[in-house]
Amino acid sequence: AVVSTQSGHYGRGCREKNTFAESTPNVLFDTMPMIWMRPMKKLDIPDAPIYWCPVYKTSERRGVLSTTGHSTNFVIDMRLSSDKPEMHWVLRGLALLCQLDD
């Protein structure tokens, strides 16, 4: 199986503390740890609370609609473990960013 690691992401709306936690007051972006991406069969994925976290290239969270129907700024939805319901993070606008704006 092919395994990939992703690093250099920034979290908006959260911080990492063994799992996702509330943002630190007055901190807009927080550095995220390396994410290990491992392909699995859908049946082998453990049934645990998750958040389908969008990953964007920049913090704008918008871009030009491409011919595939996706925004040019959108990268992927990542399945991230969470100890809170998905709606908790949706309401906080949690997203991962590949780069910060200058």
Side-chain angles (χ1 to χ4, degrees):
V2 176
V3 175
S4 173
T5 57
Q6 298 289 318
S7 62
H9 290 106
Y10 301 91
R12 180 173 178 153
C14 74
R15 64 188 165 106
E16 196 278 331
K17 191 177 176 184
N18 294 330
T19 185
F20 289 99
E22 298 295 329
S23 294
T24 306
N26 300 320
V27 176
L28 189 56
F29 302 103
D30 207 344
T31 306
M32 293 289 113
M34 185 178 292
I35 298 172
W36 182 39
M37 299 172 65
R38 181 178 52 150
M40 298 176 74
K41 292 180 185 175
K42 195 170 188 175
L43 295 172
D44 296 338
I45 297 172
D47 187 25
I50 60 155
Y51 172 60
W52 284 102
C53 185
V55 179
Y56 297 100
K57 293 177 188 174
T58 67
S59 64
E60 284 191 28
R61 296 188 188 203
R62 62 185 172 96
V64 178
L65 197 59
S66 68
T67 56
T68 61
H70 293 284
S71 166
T72 54
N73 193 27
F74 177 78
V75 178
I76 191 173
D77 273 326
M78 281 194 188
R79 184 182 191 272
L80 302 176
S81 299
S82 173
D83 60 352
K84 298 192 182 329
E86 186 172 24
M87 190 52 68
H88 177 86
W89 299 116
V90 169
L91 294 173
R92 279 152 182 78
L94 170 59
L96 294 181
L97 308 173
C98 295
Q99 68 183 28
L100 297 178
D101 300 326
D102 289 334

